[in-house]
Amino acid sequence: MPTILGIESSCDDTSAAIVVDGKVKSNIICSQAIHKKYGGVVPELASRAHEKNIIPTVSEALKIANITLPEIDAIAFTQGPGLLGSLLVGNCFAKGLAMAQNIPLIAVNHMEAHINAHFIEEIKPEFPFLCLTVSGGHTQIIIVKAFGDYTLVGQTLDDAIGEAFDKSAKLLQLPYPGGPLVDKYAQKGNPNAYKFPIPEIKDLDFSFSGIKTSISNFLQINTNNNPQFITQNIEDICASIQYTLVDIVIKKIKKAAKLYQINTIAIAGGVAANSELRNKMLLKQSELGWKVFVPKLEYCTDNAAMIAITGYYKYLDKDYNELSVVPNARLALGFD
Ligand code: KG4
Ligand code: ZN
């Protein structure tokens, strides 16, 4: 029964998880509130908070899983992409522990782990499937042919969709991270209250920077006329922004499904927690006959369970790393 400790520290969440024989026994996430007052993640503060949180987080994951250190067979950690200082904390901790326990160390790509969150649950997608990976740093459409076998067929040319959510929220004077708040207000608003132009981007690629500009212009004009415009209409504004952003990715994934004749579709990454995206994807099951896979909320945003499950599959393949492995802030998925 392989027992894997997973460690995630790519951005502002310190997380540790235990996976035993492919099943998640614990998944502890320690979020860093310190960034709220700065309106975004401050890299230096994130590294320091990881340093402080990593030992209690790992201890808690072991305790909840009822596992002792000598029972661990391998340690999987996030190698990248992410903030270098944050990655270094997880990397050094994982190395030290692997060396002390004399067990294999497994480096995991954070974006691959988001995709592999779909292999945590009992019912798993069959290969090949399309994965719409939507996070704070990425917007990609990937054909997943097998574990570790990916073809990138579409990606953002500028901002990621998570950034578009967060930057829109900032323009609305909502605290960081704004994505979940836009979602919350949107649930009570009218998605057709305001129209934002949808960019015409070729093939399966995306662009979100133009929408941010049009939202900024729209808010400026309206607040010039009425300084209370945002507070009076926050729900309708959020619903209209969310409708536009979700519509863009749904249209592209539909196009990809048709082009590649694949009807098993998964969503992954932090923005996969968005209620409208989740609901609209699930509606496509009956509408288009898709088999849709939407991860549990706790496996959408950054978590170590997805790192540990990826580590588990790599462990079965004896795909280990040397203790000299280093983090890579710009680590890319190997696409063919
Ligand atoms: O995957 P993730 O936790 O971190 C990265 O790897 O980037 O994704 C974080 C992103 C943030 O932009 C956050 O605002 C967004 O996911 N997010 C959401 C929601 N929950 C998280 N965006 C829209 N609606 C949500 N409910
Ligand atoms: Zn992530």
Side-chain angles (χ1 to χ4, degrees):
M1 288 221 295
T3 300
I4 314 293
L5 166 65
I7 293 171
E8 155 64 27
S9 70
S10 65
C11 191
D12 59 341
D13 293 307
T14 317
S15 182
I18 301 290
V19 160
V20 179
D21 210 16
K23 294 192 177 58
V24 176
K25 298 293 175 190
S26 63
N27 182 36
I28 307 300
I29 302 167
C30 179
S31 299
Q32 304 175 358
I34 189 155
H35 307 288
K36 267 206 169 76
K37 64 179 170 206
Y38 299 100
V41 177
V42 183
E44 168 80 19
L45 296 179
S47 324
R48 285 167 188 264
H50 283 304
E51 276 286 359
K52 199 171 149 205
N53 299 338
I54 196 153
I55 291 179
T57 306
V58 170
S59 302
E60 183 71 5
L62 288 165
K63 194 172 137 201
I64 299 287
N66 201 17
I67 292 287
T68 58
L69 272 182
E71 290 175 280
I72 294 173
D73 294 304
I75 303 177
F77 73 97
T78 305
Q79 188 188 13
L83 300 171
L84 191 59
S86 292
L87 292 166
L88 271 165
V89 177
N91 176 255
C92 289
F93 181 88
K95 273 182 190 178
L97 198 55
M99 196 175 170
Q101 297 297 121
N102 197 22
I103 53 175
L105 181 69
I106 299 172
V108 171
N109 180 304
H110 181 85
M111 298 316 292
E112 180 174 15
H114 270 304
I115 298 171
N116 286 342
H118 288 285
F119 295 95
I120 291 174
E121 302 295 342
E122 209 55 53
I123 302 171
K124 304 168 178 25
E126 276 174 25
F127 301 116
F129 65 92
L130 280 174
C131 191
L132 173 68
T133 311
V134 279
S135 72
H138 292 76
T139 307
Q140 297 177 326
I141 298 178
I142 296 165
I143 303 176
V144 185
K145 287 178 268 179
F147 284 108
D149 188 353
Y150 311 105
T151 303
L152 178 72
V153 294
Q155 63 183 326
T156 184
L157 304 176
D158 42 55
D159 291 352
I161 185 171
E163 261 177 293
F165 267 104
D166 295 339
K167 286 178 178 172
S168 303
K170 204 167 188 172
L171 292 169
L172 295 168
Q173 287 136 37
L174 298 174
Y176 178 87
L181 286 171
V182 172
D183 189 356
K184 188 177 144 216
Y185 285 114
Q187 289 177 32
K188 290 189 187 149
N190 171 8
N192 300 311
Y194 309 105
K195 286 267 168 278
F196 300 107
I198 298 227
E200 294 281 333
I201 306 297
K202 68 171 179 53
D203 304 327
L204 297 172
D205 289 335
F206 305 87
S207 166
F208 293 98
S209 64
I211 298 180
K212 187 194 68 192
T213 310
S214 68
I215 293 169
S216 169
N217 293 341
F218 162 84
L219 292 175
Q220 203 154 17
I221 293 165
N222 282 286
T223 45
N224 278 348
N225 294 336
N226 169 13
Q228 303 305 316
F229 177 75
I230 292 177
T231 39
Q232 284 168 358
N233 299 286
I234 188 78
E235 291 166 352
D236 285 349
I237 301 171
C238 286
S240 303
I241 292 172
Q242 180 167 286
Y243 175 87
T244 311
L245 297 177
V246 169
D247 196 46
I248 291 171
V249 291
I250 295 267
K251 282 202 171 107
K252 290 284 175 160
I253 196 77
K254 259 174 89 174
K255 193 170 171 181
K258 203 166 160 197
L259 188 65
Y260 292 100
Q261 293 289 296
I262 297 174
N263 68 357
T264 302
I265 321 277
I267 57 171
V271 182
N274 182 266
S275 61
E276 184 167 335
L277 179 60
R278 296 170 81 84
N279 293 339
K280 284 200 168 154
M281 287 297 294
L282 290 170
L283 274 178
K284 299 286 171 223
Q285 298 205 111
S286 47
E287 215 177 288
L288 299 172
W290 287 357
K291 278 187 212 135
V292 172
F293 288 82
V294 171
K296 265 192 193 158
L297 281 177
E298 64 182 300
Y299 302 138
C300 289
T301 42
D302 291 347
N303 67 89
M306 67 184 194
I307 306 300
I309 199 82
T310 306
Y312 167 74
Y313 285 103
K314 285 180 172 252
Y315 180 82
L316 296 182
D317 280 351
K318 296 197 167 38
D319 185 2
Y320 310 147
N321 292 82
E322 299 290 331
L323 285 179
S324 56
V325 63
V326 290
N328 179 349
R330 297 189 170 273
L331 186 67
L333 258 190
F335 294 116
D336 59 23

